[in-house]
Each structure stands twice: as C-alpha cells, then as structure tokens.
Amino acid sequence: KSLPKSILEDYKFLEKKTEKINFPKSPKYIFTSYAFESNELFKYYLANQKKKNNNVKYIVYQHGGSYITRIDNSYNNECKTADKFLCWGDKIDKNLNNNINFFNFKLSNKKYFLKNNSNKLLVILRSSGYNAVPYDRYLEGKKELEFTLDFLKKIPDNMTSDVIIRAHSGSKGKLKMYNDTFHRFEIDYGDKNYFKSINNSKIIFFNHDSTGLLEILGCNKPTICAWPNFSNHLNKNIEEDYKYLIEGKILFQDNDDLLKHLNQFWQNPEKWWLNEHTQNCIKKFINLYSKKPEKNYLKDLKKTIINS
C-alpha cells in the first residue's frame, strides 16, 4: 500500500504514454531543475534513456535552497543519480563527486532587483511541509513558528501597521490557533504577487533557512532571519559559513537582540546594510551559496553541459 501507483498499476500506462509524448528519441543530454521530483513520465523516460545508452548525460541544476547545507540533502535522489549537479555558488557537497560550482540562475530574473519603495517589514513564514525526511519535520516547523511568534509578540503597537506576514496558502487553518498574536498584523496567504511584496518592503524577515533567503541576499536587499538552534539542520563542515550571517547582523539567535537591531536601523536600514563590514559578510556568503549570474551566463551554461 505504500508503493506509488506508478511502480505497479500504472507502469504499463507510463511506458505507453512516454512513447507517445514528444520527448527527444536519442538525446545527448537530459537537463532539468525540477522534473525529477514528481513528473513520473519524465522519470520513466530518463531511466529508459539511460538504460539504452549510458553515455547520455543526466544533469540537474539546483532548484532551491538547502542543497549542500542540510544534513539530509546529500542523500536526495537527484543528488546521487545525476551525472552532474550544478550548484548555485562556489560551495559543493564533498560527500558527492558530481557537483559543479556555478550560479543561481533564478537571479537572472530582473524582477528581483526593482527598487524597494515602501515602509513595510515583510515576515515570510515557512510552509507546514510534510514528513518525508528521517527526522520530525513537523516539530522543526513548530519550533520555528513558536520562535517567530515570540518575536511578533514583542513588536510594539506603534509598529504593527508596518508589518505584513506572508504565510503559505496551506497554513490558514493552522495559523488560526495563534490568532491572539496574528490578529495584530496584516496576513497575506500568497494572494499578492511575490515580487511586488518583496519590492514593497523595507526589510524582509525569514523565519527559516529558505530558498527565498538565498535569493534576497543574492539581490542585496536588506534581510534578517532567525530560527532556533541555527546549526541543527546543517552539515557540520559548513557551520562556519553561517557565521558570516551572524557577524553581519543578518542571522539572529535571540529575539531581543533581533528586535533591538530592528529598532536601531528601522528608519534607515541602509546605514547597517550598506556598511562595508555587512556587505563583506554578505558577499562571502552568497559567493558560496547564491552567486548572481554573469553576463555570459547562458554561454557558460551551454559550455558546462557540453563538457559534462
């Protein structure tokens, strides 16, 4: 009962369906950032092509945060089965021999770099997720939410109108339990355009180690983050890298320190953010995990694929 239908009842269906859709018959390279996740037709096609010709190169481009950093991600299917895995920065997973350091392709989207023009603090919450990892994912999320609730409770009344909480659309029922805290703030369950939300914010706050955090740091917008036990989910060999965020007053472990920092620089975040020390810390971190693509990015990408 635990096996996916694609393995048993639907296997013949997938076999026939894959032959009918317009996949290339004899590719030299198969390249994706996400199809390995839940596209059963693609997975069957990939496996079939590799079976027929093992010289076909299967290349995965990192599609989100926490690759390299999280303890469990070294064991992900896409990390272990790809011939080459393109990372968003200079840091690679030393547990694997297929990593190539590259750029965060998502930062080629110019919408990230529109000028901020509002007086809002955007608080981005983590989704509830699902228990598909070898630890209690729900408990981890619960602790992160409780940590954020403690921070929100300490925000003074005269600042609540400047706070917008962006929560996952699937969190509506869950967050009702905490309405005694959330009723003070405007909540957006993903109804507003993401780019408009981040570009209409003075400072962006993340309550988890997320893809969004890497993206916003990569486009150099004032960002703060806080979650309990900051290194609990990290591979031991990369813990030191997160010290750059701590030294730059971006990652906090104490809500009182976070609120003190926010109060100090709320009127003029650039005084902290554009400080030489802060910028150096950001640069060191994003070079490892979220490098902005260079002008000849697509040519380099093509060359990397061919040379694989």
Side-chain angles (χ1 to χ4, degrees), residues 63-300:
H63 76 280
S66 294
Y67 284 95
I68 319 301
T69 57
R70 285 195 75 92
I71 293 170
D72 51 295
N73 273 6
S74 295
Y75 307 99
N76 281 2
N77 171 58
E78 66 272 22
C79 297
K80 294 179 72 68
T81 58
D83 293 303
K84 298 296 178 183
F85 187 94
L86 275 59
C87 304
W88 278 359
D90 291 338
K91 199 78 170 189
I92 60 173
D93 189 337
K94 293 182 179 179
N95 296 315
L96 303 168
N97 60 7
N98 61 355
N99 280 197
I100 298 175
N101 59 291
F102 211 60
F103 305 99
N104 183 347
F105 71 99
K106 296 179 79 174
L107 294 180
S108 61
N109 190 337
K110 294 179 181 178
K111 291 179 182 178
Y112 279 113
F113 297 90
L114 298 176
K115 190 175 180 181
N116 291 31
N117 57 5
S118 179
N119 203 43
K120 299 293 183 180
L121 171 67
L122 181 66
V123 178
I124 300 181
L125 303 182
R126 192 179 190 182
S127 69
S128 300
Y130 49 91
N131 261 347
V133 288
Y135 57 87
D136 194 336
R137 166 68 178 82
Y138 291 142
L139 181 61
E140 181 182 70
K142 183 173 183 286
K143 288 181 176 180
E144 289 168 346
L145 181 58
E146 289 173 349
F147 194 83
T148 307
L149 287 167
D150 178 65
F151 162 69
L152 292 172
K153 287 175 182 176
K154 294 175 179 178
I155 290 180
D157 290 338
N158 64 351
M159 193 181 167
T160 56
S161 61
D162 295 328
V163 178
I164 298 176
I165 296 172
R166 185 178 176 94
H168 194 273
S169 58
S171 302
K172 286 184 180 181
K174 180 181 178 182
L175 295 186
K176 284 181 180 178
M177 298 167 53
Y178 308 101
N179 199 43
D180 56 332
T181 300
F182 285 122
H183 80 277
R184 302 170 65 210
F185 309 102
E186 178 184 344
I187 302 184
D188 168 27
Y189 287 102
D191 297 318
K192 295 182 179 179
N193 180 275
Y194 177 66
F195 293 106
K196 286 184 178 179
S197 294
I198 62 173
N199 291 320
N200 286 336
S201 304
K202 183 191 282 190
I203 298 177
I204 301 158
F205 170 82
F206 291 90
N207 81 330
H208 58 298
D209 192 2
S210 71
T211 300
L213 174 62
L214 292 180
E215 292 167 3
I216 303 306
L217 287 174
C219 57
N220 205 22
K221 292 181 181 292
T223 309
I224 50 177
C225 57
W227 56 82
N229 303 317
F230 89 92
S231 64
N232 200 43
H233 65 293
L234 297 177
N235 280 312
K236 297 301 178 186
N237 62 326
I238 62 93
E239 276 186 36
E240 288 299 313
D241 299 340
Y242 278 69
K243 299 292 175 65
Y244 296 133
L245 299 184
I246 295 172
E247 291 171 11
K249 297 292 184 182
I250 297 166
L251 173 60
F252 291 85
Q253 289 296 283
D254 182 89
N255 280 328
D256 291 329
D257 289 342
L258 171 58
L259 197 60
K260 181 180 177 182
H261 175 78
L262 191 61
N263 286 331
Q264 182 180 356
F265 293 104
W266 179 246
Q267 296 304 321
N268 185 15
E270 285 76 16
K271 187 176 181 181
W272 144 67
W273 191 256
L274 298 180
N275 176 277
E276 184 179 357
H277 173 72
T278 306
Q279 285 293 303
N280 283 336
C281 290
I282 296 166
K283 186 176 181 180
K284 288 176 182 177
F285 188 80
I286 65 169
N287 279 344
L288 294 173
Y289 298 109
S290 188
K291 287 176 73 174
K292 185 181 176 183
E294 297 175 351
K295 287 184 178 179
N296 57 350
Y297 158 73
L298 287 176
K299 290 182 179 179
D300 288 343

Side-chain angles (χ1 to χ4, degrees), residues 34-63:
Y34 63 90
F36 54 77
E37 183 69 24
S38 57
N39 189 329
E40 299 303 323
L41 292 172
F42 170 83
K43 287 189 271 188
Y44 181 88
Y45 167 76
L46 170 64
N48 206 30
Q49 289 295 326
K50 291 292 283 186
K51 180 185 177 183
K52 290 193 297 185
N53 178 12
N54 200 42
N55 291 324
V56 175
K57 296 303 177 186
Y58 169 43
I59 305 165
V60 172
Y61 202 152
Q62 179 177 340
H63 76 280

